[in-house]
Amino acid sequence: EPEVTQTPSHQVTQMGQEVILRCVPISNHLYFYWYRQILGQKVEFLVSFYNNEISEKSEIFDDQFSVERPDGSNFTLKIRSTKLEDSAMYFCASRVQEGGNQPQHFGDGTRLSIL
Amino acid sequence: RKEVEQDPGPFNVPEGATVAFNCTYSNSASQSFFWYRQDCRKEPKLLMSVYSSGNEDGRFTAQLNRASQYISLLIRDSKLSDSATYLCVVPFSGGYNKLIFGAGTRLAVHP
């Protein structure tokens, strides 16, 4: 069964550094998402991406964050000048087509630890 | 009312028990709903989609009451492997269907 893959599985970074989290969505999917989950809290939406542009973003997704799909397969989340509070699990998800009844499929996440 | 609200649990049940989780949602325009399962420090995995009044998949039954904006998940004949956190998830109607997650209900099945 096709799956969403994410790398790295764990990233440890000094505060103030930039990190890039990578995702390879399922190949025929058209809608891409990033979510994060701070330890002990619920999963929160960050951004959605369709047709090579951001379609929606949350209040969390400020100028510190950016996404791109540079080569038609990888979907990346960049966090500039990381803060301690950016420590969380980051999940990438993808969905095949428009329609609220299509579920999103999640990658196994990147654990980001900011020191 | 919170966008998606769930019983926090934890529910501690013996193997073979039947257990039910509740979820309420605030957006009356929502059309579809999902139950995801999340193991400790793992990704959410789709358990069931709920489109109409409800559906059944083996030991799992999901029910939807649109008038009360209420969704439930029933697990029959609980197995040790059912121990996890169960997430009630509602796509935000409109836009690109970002998912709104409940905080989850933790289930612990013991021998």
Side-chain angles (χ1 to χ4, degrees):
Chain A
E1 186 175 324
E3 56 183 28
V4 177
T5 56
Q6 290 186 242
T7 53
S9 56
H10 192 189
Q11 174 82 45
V12 182
T13 302
Q14 292 287 331
M15 187 172 60
Q17 297 297 304
E18 175 182 286
V19 295
I20 297 176
L21 310 183
R22 291 182 167 80
C23 169
V24 179
I26 296 173
S27 61
N28 64 333
H29 284 193
L30 301 176
Y31 296 82
F32 314 112
Y33 306 84
W34 283 100
Y35 294 84
R36 81 169 185 192
Q37 186 175 31
I38 295 170
L39 187 63
Q41 298 186 22
K42 63 182 181 179
V43 178
E44 301 174 288
F45 167 77
L46 290 178
V47 66
S48 59
F49 192 87
Y50 170 71
N51 200 25
N52 284 321
E53 60 183 18
I54 290 174
S55 46
E56 187 175 1
K57 58 184 181 180
S58 71
E59 292 177 353
I60 303 167
F61 195 91
D62 60 20
D63 292 343
Q64 182 194 7
F65 294 87
S66 62
V67 290
E68 63 176 4
R69 195 158 182 249
D71 57 10
S73 61
N74 290 287
F75 178 49
T76 62
L77 174 68
K78 183 189 291 185
I79 310 175
R80 287 180 284 275
S81 189
T82 48
K83 309 186 188 86
L84 294 176
E85 54 265 36
D86 294 329
S87 296
M89 281 290 288
Y90 287 81
F91 295 110
C92 173
S94 68
R95 181 161 65 88
V96 62
Q97 64 185 37
E98 195 168 346
N101 60 347
Q102 296 298 320
Q104 294 177 23
H105 297 267
F106 285 78
D108 55 6
T110 293
R111 179 171 302 284
L112 178 62
S113 299
I114 306 300
L115 305 179
Chain B
R1 180 189 249 185
K2 288 183 183 175
E3 288 183 291
V4 181
E5 196 157 7
Q6 297 184 244
D7 289 338
F11 285 66
N12 294 297
V13 302
E15 277 185 286
T18 295
V19 62
F21 307 137
N22 302 322
C23 172
T24 56
Y25 59 94
S26 61
N27 186 352
S28 59
S30 297
Q31 294 297 308
S32 58
F33 310 88
F34 304 105
W35 283 100
Y36 280 74
R37 169 198 168 124
Q38 186 175 32
D39 292 290
C40 188
R41 299 197 172 201
K42 300 288 188 180
E43 76 276 21
K45 289 186 177 175
L46 180 67
L47 181 66
M48 294 183 75
S49 303
V50 189
Y51 303 137
S52 55
S53 60
N55 45 291
E56 185 173 319
D57 182 4
R59 298 183 294 110
F60 300 86
T61 300
Q63 291 193 312
L64 168 64
N65 183 321
R66 290 188 191 275
S68 302
Q69 294 176 214
Y70 169 94
I71 313 157
S72 66
L73 178 68
L74 183 78
I75 305 176
R76 289 181 295 276
D77 189 22
S78 299
K79 314 288 185 195
L80 295 175
S81 56
D82 293 334
S83 297
T85 297
Y86 290 83
L87 307 175
C88 178
V89 182
V90 181
F92 182 80
S93 62
Y96 292 85
N97 296 113
K98 65 183 178 186
L99 298 181
I100 309 298
F101 284 78
T105 300
R106 197 153 60 88
L107 172 65
V109 182
H110 57 82

